[in-house]
Amino acid sequence: MSKAVSKAVVVFSGGQDSTTCLIQALTQYDEVHGITFDYGQRHRQEIEVAETLGQQLGLKSHKTLDVSMLNELAISALTRDSIQVSNELMDNGLPNTFVPGRNILFLTLAGIFAYQLGADTVITGVCETDFSGYPDCRNDFVKAMQSALEQGMDRKLTLSTPLMWLNKAETWALADKYHSLDLVRDETLTCYNGIVGTGCGTCPACLLRQKGLDDYCNNKEQVQQELNTKCQS
């Protein structure tokens, strides 16, 4: 009997985190499929970046979905050009780049895509350890979504979060482990102002990304050891 083909869907934005997850997934699954969402986001260049990287890295298939209805419902600095990205938290304790319901919608649609493909894993680059304050990046949320999707589709599905307990330095170390640090640094788009690579250098996403890169480059051996310890646990 032939071995079953292992398949995974990566929620792929073309940013540092999802690209690192994609690169890792390509070493772990027979087929890796990507799904990218166009929700009228502020930095729309990320869609082009994701499609280019998907072709370059060898995705089995790559679907870009129009979910612009999210833009109509969710008011955020990432959905309204008139709202300036702020480094300060709002009165509710969340950054003004938080898009309410975004990952609920994304993971639901990715789960449906996985169902149609016969994939039993959806990979997302959310992170609780070193994140931007978004409640839909937390482990409890992901576990709740996995339970809902499994119950709603009556099918086993794993929402895999390889970066959940990594800090940004360790995420850079993971990219380096797969000999892709230069690609992630120079060709991904994390910047809230839509600048590829090192970005604008001033928005919250750029500051977090650069600090992680500096921390990794200044102490590679220790960070790699910490990464290996977390990956083995």
Side-chain angles (χ1 to χ4, degrees):
M1 181 180 295
S2 60
K3 180 183 176 183
V5 176
S6 61
K7 302 177 183 180
V9 171
V10 177
V11 178
F12 188 47
S13 71
Q16 174 192 359
D17 293 341
S18 64
T19 303
T20 301
C21 288
L22 171 56
I23 289 167
Q24 181 184 52
L26 289 167
T27 71
Q28 298 174 329
Y29 298 88
D30 299 319
E31 290 184 10
V32 180
H33 303 260
I35 187 166
T36 298
F37 299 101
D38 180 354
Y39 60 97
Q41 54 266 58
R42 184 188 194 101
H43 42 301
R44 294 181 57 79
Q45 296 92 329
E46 73 174 30
I47 298 167
E48 297 175 6
V49 170
E51 290 175 345
T52 298
L53 285 172
Q55 291 181 347
Q56 179 180 337
L57 293 170
L59 281 171
K60 179 71 174 180
S61 73
H62 189 188
K63 184 177 290 294
T64 299
L65 287 185
D66 180 353
V67 289
S68 53
M69 74 284 197
L70 180 62
N71 187 289
E72 297 178 27
L73 296 172
I75 298 175
S76 160
L78 292 191
T79 60
R80 298 291 187 276
D81 289 338
S82 59
I83 302 176
Q84 186 174 0
V85 175
S86 173
N87 290 323
E88 303 298 324
L89 298 180
M90 297 185 294
D91 292 342
N92 62 5
L94 298 175
N96 76 343
T97 50
F98 172 61
V99 181
R102 180 172 60 173
N103 282 343
I104 297 172
L105 178 62
F106 288 3
L107 291 176
T108 298
L109 295 174
I112 297 169
F113 187 39
Y115 185 100
Q116 297 300 327
L117 292 169
D120 58 10
T121 303
V122 170
I123 300 170
T124 176
V126 298
C127 171
E128 182 167 326
T129 305
D130 197 2
F131 70 135
S132 300
Y134 301 151
D136 58 359
C137 288
R138 295 173 183 152
N139 190 58
D140 286 348
F141 161 75
V142 174
K143 296 305 181 188
M145 279 298 301
Q146 176 174 309
S147 176
L149 289 167
E150 288 186 323
Q151 292 180 59
M153 295 192 291
D154 194 22
R155 185 175 183 273
K156 182 70 175 175
L157 180 70
T158 298
L159 296 184
S160 176
T161 55
L163 311 184
M164 181 59 75
W165 307 116
L166 304 186
N167 59 40
K168 268 290 182 282
E170 291 162 347
T171 299
W172 283 111
L174 185 61
D176 203 13
K177 176 181 177 179
Y178 294 104
H179 311 292
S180 298
L181 189 145
D182 289 347
L183 181 147
V184 173
R185 182 190 61 207
D186 298 334
E187 299 183 38
T188 63
L189 197 166
T190 304
C191 175
Y192 287 150
N193 291 310
I195 301 174
V196 176
T198 55
C200 69
T202 59
C203 75
C206 284
L207 293 173
L208 184 63
R209 171 177 162 136
Q210 188 60 49
K211 181 181 183 301
L213 181 58
D214 291 343
D215 289 347
Y216 174 59
C217 291
N218 291 334
N219 205 356
K220 283 190 175 184
E221 186 173 341
Q222 180 178 338
V223 175
Q224 288 169 350
Q225 289 176 351
E226 292 169 351
L227 172 67
N228 290 335
T229 298
K230 289 184 177 180
C231 290
Q232 292 168 3
S233 61

